[in-house]
Structure formats: structure tokens, C-alpha cells
Amino acid sequence: MSKYTWIDRDICIACAGCYAAAPAIYGADDNGYAEVIFNGDSNRGIMEIPSYLYEDLQDAYDGCPTLAVKVANHPFNK
């Protein structure tokens, strides 16, 4: 099953947990808030995350204190 992700920046508190857990998927923007960097996604939630990164993806999702990390089985329409 495919996985896609994006960060809801309206509720992100820039704790860096997601990019500590999944540095191949998430990074920080110029203001320190998280964003999806995987494969040039630019936080759009349209790039499929490969299965070898699912454990890191789950760790980032589980560790987000504000639930800003969004994960779905389909691309996000943003």
C-alpha cells in the first residue's frame, strides 16, 4: 500500500522531531518549521514514500506532539 505525507504548518511547533526521526523525508524550511523534502515534494504530499522508509515515517507520525505530521494511503490534494 502506498504512503504519502505532508506537514500541517498551521499546527507545527518546529520541535524538529519529525526530521530527527525521518531525515530522508522531512527537513526544516527557512523559518525552522518542518516540511516534506523527500524527492522534491516541497510539502505538497504528492510524492509516494518508498516502503523502506515506512518505519521512519511511522516514528515521525507517532512522535509529533501536535499531530502536524499527516500520513495517508493516497496523495493529498493541495
Side-chain angles (χ1 to χ4, degrees):
M1 186 173 297
S2 300
K3 298 286 184 191
Y4 299 84
T5 186
W6 72 283
I7 300 293
D8 183 343
R9 292 184 186 164
D10 290 336
I11 59 176
C12 176
I13 59 171
C15 72
C18 61
Y19 44 94
I25 302 172
Y26 305 102
D29 67 11
D30 293 338
N31 296 314
Y33 290 95
E35 66 179 351
V36 177
I37 60 168
F38 179 77
N39 209 16
D41 186 84
S42 300
N43 205 49
R44 295 173 294 162
I46 60 171
M47 300 304 293
E48 184 176 346
I49 304 301
S51 61
Y52 70 88
L53 291 174
Y54 284 2
E55 187 174 331
D56 291 350
L57 178 65
Q58 188 65 49
D59 289 346
Y61 177 81
D62 290 342
C64 182
T66 63
L67 306 176
V69 176
K70 307 299 182 186
V71 177
N73 297 329
H74 52 80
F76 291 90
N77 292 326
K78 296 174 31 74

